[in-house]
Amino acid sequence: MGVAASTIWPAPAAARFSAGSTLLGCWVSLLLEFTLQPYATGYRVEPVTLPLPTAPARDTAPLVQPADRAFTEQSLRQRLLGAALPYRSWAWAAALGTAVLAGLLRFIRLDEPGSLVFDETYYVKDAYSYLVSGYERAWPEDANDSFAAGQPDGLLEGAEYVVHPPVGKWMIAFGMALFGPGSSFGWRFSAAAAGTLTVLLLALIAWRLFRSPLLGGVAGLLLAVDGHHLVLSRTSLLDIFLTFWIVAAFGALLLDRDDGRRRLARKLHRPAGSLPDPAALKTGPWVLWRPWRLAAAVCLGLAVGTKWSALAFVAVFGIMTVLWDVSARRVAGIRAWPAGLLKDGIPAFLTIIPAAAVTYLATWTGWFLSNGAYGRQWAQTNPAPAGLEWVPGPLRSLAEYHRSAYSFHNGLSSEHSYEASAWTWLFLGRPTSFFYESLDPQQAACGADSCTSAITSVGNPLIWWAALLSLVAVLAFWLGRRDWRAGAVLSGIAAGYLPWFAFPDRTMFYFYAVSFVPFLVLALTYVLGLVLGRAADPPLRRRRGATVTACFLIAVVLVSAFFYPVWTAEIIPYSDWRLRIWMPSWI
C-alpha cells in the first residue's frame, strides 16, 4: 500500500526546503568536481591532515645549508603557519551560501506562533522593560495576553528580580526597537539574526581549521539545518546569543593564533646565512600586542554578560590559546619552550581577564544608571565591612546581587516536566517542548480529524548521533597524532558540556546544549574530512569518500525536511506529529 507524500513530508515543509535542495545540489556538484578530479581542476582538498612539506625549487643559486636559512621570516612562517589559506573566494561563497539557507529557514514564518512561547515569557518582557527603563520591571500576571494581542502594556513601577545578565535581553530589545514591541517577528528578529550569523562564522572557522572551503561549506550546512540550533534561532531565549558570542570568540582566537605566529616569526627572523643569538633562542621573545586576542576577550565578556555558563569557555579558551603559543615556540626552535607558559600565559591572562571583566561590567550600564533597579540601593542600607569602605556603593550592591543570583542558580532543583540530565543530551533523550497546541480541524484546515502545531527543540538525529560517534575519532586523533585542530574542537565541547556534570541535582534542560552544538558540528566535519581523504589518495578511494559524504549530506537534509514542521509550529495532522516522535521520552 502506498503512502501519500504529504503524510510524511507536508507540502509547506517541502516548499521551505526547496532552496535548501537547490543549494545541496550545488554542494554535491562541487563535491564531485573538486574531489574526484583534483588534478584536472588544480583544486586540492586537504581536509584534516596537514600537507606534507615540499622540497625547495631547484635553481642556479649556490646551495645554501638549511640551517643557515632556518630562521628567515619566510622559513619561520612556513614552519609555524604552513601554506597560505587556499581559495578565499570559494570559502566566502560557501559560507555565504549556507548563511542564506540558514536565514531562509530561520526568518520565514518567524512570527508564528504569535504568542510568547516557553521562556520568552521572561526575556521578551525584560527586553521591553529595557527599552522603557533600562532595567527589568515587574509585569501583571496577564501580560502575555497583551503581547499576543500586539499591544504590550501594563508595565508596573516595581523592579523585577532576575538572575541572568543583560546582554541577551538587550539584543532581543534591538529587534523590538526595529519592528515594534508588539510584533512577534520583532521580538524574535535578533535571535534569528544571531543564529544566521553563527552559521556564517562557523563555515569560515571550519575553512580556517581544515584549510578546505568545501569542508567549511559542509560545516555551515550541517549547522544551518540542525533542528536544535534552528529552534533556538527562532525563539527569544538567551542561549542562541550565548552561542553566537562563544563562536565569535573562538573565531577571534583562531585569527590570533595565526597573527601571534606571524609576530613571533618577525621577532625571531634573521637574514639567510646567519643564525640568531643562542640566548635569544633560550626562551624566545615576548609577543605582547595581540589585537585579535583582545577582540576574543570582548566577545567572551559579552558571552558571560548573556549567561554565566560562559565562564567555563573563558577558562578553557584561555588555556587553549596559551598552549597554542607554547607549541609555536617549540616549532620555531626555542629550546626552553615551556618558559612560554610564563611569557605567553601572563600576557594572555592580563589581556583576556581584565578586558572580559570590563566588558561584562559595562553590560550592566543600564542597572548602574538607574535608581529603581532591583538591588540598586542595597549598599545604602548595608554599611561596608571594615577594610572595604573604599569600594563604591554601586559595586557593592552589584556584588550582593550576584551573590544572590548565584545562590539561586546553585539551589535550583524544582521539578519540571521537560528537565533533562546532561547525560541524555547527546542521545537526544529529552528534548524540550517549547510549544504545543491542538487545533480545531475546521479552522486549521490540516486535512485530518485532528490538527497539531508544535515546537520541539529536538536536534537532527542523524547529525547528533553521527557527531557523537565522531567524538571517538576526534579524541583518537588528538591523543594519538596530537592534532591541534582536534584539541580545539574538543575544547569547545568540554567547556560547554562537562561543567554541567558538576551540578547533578540542578534542574537542567536539553536546550542548554546549544552552546556547544557548533563544536559538535566541527567534530562531525572533521570526520567527514577523513572520509573524503587527501588529494594524494588513489582516485577510487576519493570517489568512494565523495559518494559516502554526498549521500550523508543528502540524508541530513531529508531528515531535517521531515522534522521541519515540528521545529517551526506548522499546522499538521496529529498523526504526522506522532510520526516524528521517535522516542516516548520526546512527548
Side-chain angles (χ1 to χ4, degrees), residues 326-547:
V326 171
S327 175
R329 290 178 183 270
R330 179 183 62 82
V331 172
I334 295 170
R335 295 191 301 274
W337 52 266
L341 291 173
L342 294 177
K343 282 199 166 182
D344 295 317
I346 292 176
F349 180 88
L350 295 178
T351 299
I352 294 174
I353 300 304
V358 170
T359 301
Y360 175 78
L361 199 62
T363 66
W364 288 86
T365 299
W367 186 89
F368 280 118
L369 294 178
S370 71
N371 292 318
Y374 185 90
R376 177 63 181 80
Q377 307 300 331
W378 179 86
Q380 293 186 2
T381 57
N382 293 269
L388 294 178
E389 296 87 354
W390 58 274
V391 178
L395 287 180
R396 289 199 303 111
S397 296
L398 186 62
E400 170 60 22
Y401 195 160
H402 280 58
R403 183 207 62 77
S404 173
Y406 175 79
S407 298
F408 173 87
H409 285 297
N410 200 37
L412 184 60
S413 58
S414 57
E415 293 185 0
H416 193 283
S417 56
Y418 283 98
E419 63 181 304
S421 170
W423 291 103
T424 67
W425 293 354
L426 295 181
F427 301 97
L428 307 180
R430 184 62 169 164
T432 311
S433 175
F434 283 15
F435 174 79
Y436 180 88
E437 186 178 26
S438 295
L439 302 169
D440 183 348
Q442 294 181 350
Q443 296 179 350
C446 69
D449 294 334
S450 178
C451 301
T452 295
S453 177
I455 300 176
T456 305
S457 67
V458 62
N460 182 310
L462 195 54
I463 293 176
W464 278 72
W465 294 337
L468 177 58
L469 295 176
S470 299
L471 292 180
V472 179
V474 175
L475 182 62
F477 270 78
W478 179 52
L479 296 176
R481 300 186 61 176
R482 293 183 295 178
D483 190 331
W484 70 271
R485 291 162 293 186
V489 172
L490 292 173
S491 295
I493 297 172
Y497 189 36
L498 296 183
W500 293 105
F501 291 97
F503 307 95
D505 297 327
R506 190 190 187 279
T507 304
M508 303 178 195
F509 298 93
Y510 164 66
F511 67 84
Y512 294 171
V514 73
S515 65
F516 62 87
V517 166
F519 299 97
L520 286 177
V521 167
L522 289 176
L524 179 53
T525 305
Y526 186 107
V527 172
L528 290 176
L530 296 175
V531 173
L532 280 171
R534 301 179 62 181
D537 288 339
L540 179 60
R541 162 71 178 83
R542 298 283 284 172
R543 283 195 295 270
R544 289 174 176 173
T547 301

Side-chain angles (χ1 to χ4, degrees), residues 17 100 115 136 139 167 228 266 298 457 497 502 519 545 550 577 583:
F17 273 80
V100 169
S115 58
E136 299 90 344
W139 289 85
V167 171
H228 190 50
R266 284 198 295 269
V298 172
S457 67
Y497 189 36
F519 299 97
W577 175 77
M583 299 183 189

Side-chain angles (χ1 to χ4, degrees), residues 7 448 450 452 572-580:
T7 302
S450 178
T452 295
I572 58 176
Y574 175 79
S575 58
D576 287 3
W577 175 77
R578 285 305 303 259
L579 192 63
R580 290 158 176 80

Side-chain angles (χ1 to χ4, degrees), residues 7 79 152 159 274:
T7 302
R79 294 206 306 274
S274 63

Side-chain angles (χ1 to χ4, degrees), residues 30 39 42 47 53 67 87 112 147 156 170 180 207 265-266 274 285 311 354 361 365 393 398 407 464 488 575:
L30 291 174
Y39 303 105
Y87 309 104
E112 294 293 336
F147 273 89
L156 304 179
W170 275 116
W207 166 55
R266 284 198 295 269
S274 63
L311 286 169
L361 199 62
T365 299
L398 186 62
S407 298
W464 278 72
S575 58

Side-chain angles (χ1 to χ4, degrees), residues 28 124 144 186 235 267 308 431 492 558:
V28 174
V124 170
N144 286 13
T235 49
K267 287 179 175 289
W308 288 353
L558 292 177

